[in-house]
Amino acid sequence: MILVVSPIVILGGVCIIFGVTMTLVPNKSKNVSIFECEKCDLDICKQVRLSSNKVEKQTAVVKCNGNNHNSKLRYNYSGHMGCADLNLLELGNKVCKYGCLGLGSCVEVCPQNAIKIIDGLAVINNKKCTACKKCIIVCPKSLIKIEPANPVYQVRCNSKERGTKVKSLCNVGCNGCEICVKWCKFDAIKIIDNLAYIDTKSCTSCGSCASKCPTKAINNLILYK
């Protein structure tokens, strides 16, 4: 959700001019919500009103589940480079050229402390995430996308490879088998370039796709405290 109210731009509940989270305060008497912020006294922010039932929580999602256990390494790296630097060395140290490098460049820029590196993989807490997109800017693999927090099921893969090739690179990669497409009763999944995509507007979070996925590439958004 993006609101442009000159000179203020509100992106996912964050004022990108000051980089602060704006509080959505409900007004029951008028059935509206008002964005408020303690950073400045500009009245224009207080004039932004949204119908409370149209406010949709968004979150950043890492389209990869290839942690150190699931994804194979071509070489071990030890140093102080960021993800963009490591990506210049033959697209990183993982055999899957699409996977998360796990050095934490996204962690460093997150103003909400919503990202952690767990077992070599960036994991986003969608309860803390405000969809500010700063992590997206620094990810050299373009792995992080802004998605609605609901439905909760996501394809955690960005590989364009297919079949046995995917299996040789990562234990949990999407291989484009189309089983999820066949089992989805709501026509919410399509295969594009050997990769499954979930239409969040059609998905009902029934979980059928995740339960039938042979590689477990589809799963619930990871939450942690």
Side-chain angles (χ1 to χ4, degrees):
M1 176 182 62
I2 301 176
L3 298 176
V4 180
V5 185
S6 180
I8 301 300
V9 181
I10 301 173
L11 174 61
V14 175
C15 170
I16 66 171
I17 304 300
F18 295 105
V20 295
T21 302
M22 304 185 74
T23 304
L24 194 60
V25 181
N27 186 326
K28 295 182 180 180
S29 62
K30 296 183 179 180
N31 192 32
V32 298
S33 295
I34 305 171
F35 276 114
E36 292 185 353
C37 155
E38 298 179 355
K39 186 69 178 180
C40 66
D41 295 323
L42 294 178
D43 291 334
I44 196 166
C45 291
K46 299 178 182 179
Q47 296 173 8
V48 179
R49 287 173 170 78
L50 301 175
S51 172
S52 58
N53 59 5
K54 292 183 180 180
V55 177
E56 182 180 49
K57 164 70 175 175
Q58 292 186 317
T59 183
V61 177
V62 179
K63 296 290 187 174
C64 177
N65 203 19
N67 57 29
N68 292 336
H69 176 73
N70 293 324
S71 183
K72 301 174 178 62
L73 297 177
R74 292 188 294 125
Y75 60 87
N76 292 320
Y77 168 76
S78 178
H80 302 286
M81 292 194 303
C83 295
D85 300 314
L86 183 58
N87 194 51
L88 294 176
L89 298 178
E90 299 180 340
L91 299 179
N93 59 343
K94 290 186 176 180
V95 292
C96 177
K97 64 181 180 180
Y98 304 97
C100 175
L101 297 174
L103 293 187
S105 294
C106 53
V107 176
E108 294 177 1
V109 300
C110 179
Q112 305 300 324
N113 193 29
I115 310 176
K116 291 183 179 179
I117 300 299
I118 301 177
D119 195 18
L121 178 70
V123 178
I124 298 175
N125 184 333
N126 65 11
K127 289 184 177 180
K128 291 183 177 181
C129 178
T130 59
C132 71
K133 295 187 177 181
K134 290 184 178 181
C135 55
I136 293 177
I137 295 173
V138 300
C139 179
K141 297 291 189 181
S142 299
L143 278 175
I144 307 177
K145 309 294 182 183
I146 299 296
E147 301 279 4
N150 288 300
V152 297
Y153 288 96
Q154 298 285 346
V155 180
R156 302 286 303 284
C157 181
N158 197 45
S159 174
K160 305 302 187 295
E161 306 293 349
R162 183 176 174 84
T164 56
K165 175 67 173 178
V166 175
K167 187 65 176 179
S168 68
L169 303 177
C170 181
N171 295 330
V172 291
C174 174
N175 59 16
C177 66
E178 300 190 14
I179 290 178
C180 55
V181 177
K182 296 175 182 178
W183 278 91
C184 181
K185 299 178 181 179
F186 306 97
D187 194 30
I189 309 177
K190 298 185 183 300
I191 303 295
I192 302 175
D193 292 333
N194 301 323
L195 184 63
Y197 290 89
I198 297 177
D199 180 356
T200 57
K201 293 182 179 180
S202 301
C203 179
T204 62
S205 295
C206 69
S208 294
C209 56
S211 64
K212 298 298 180 179
C213 178
T215 65
K216 304 306 177 186
I218 304 176
N219 47 54
N220 210 322
L221 293 179
I222 296 178
L223 296 177
Y224 58 85
K225 298 181 180 179

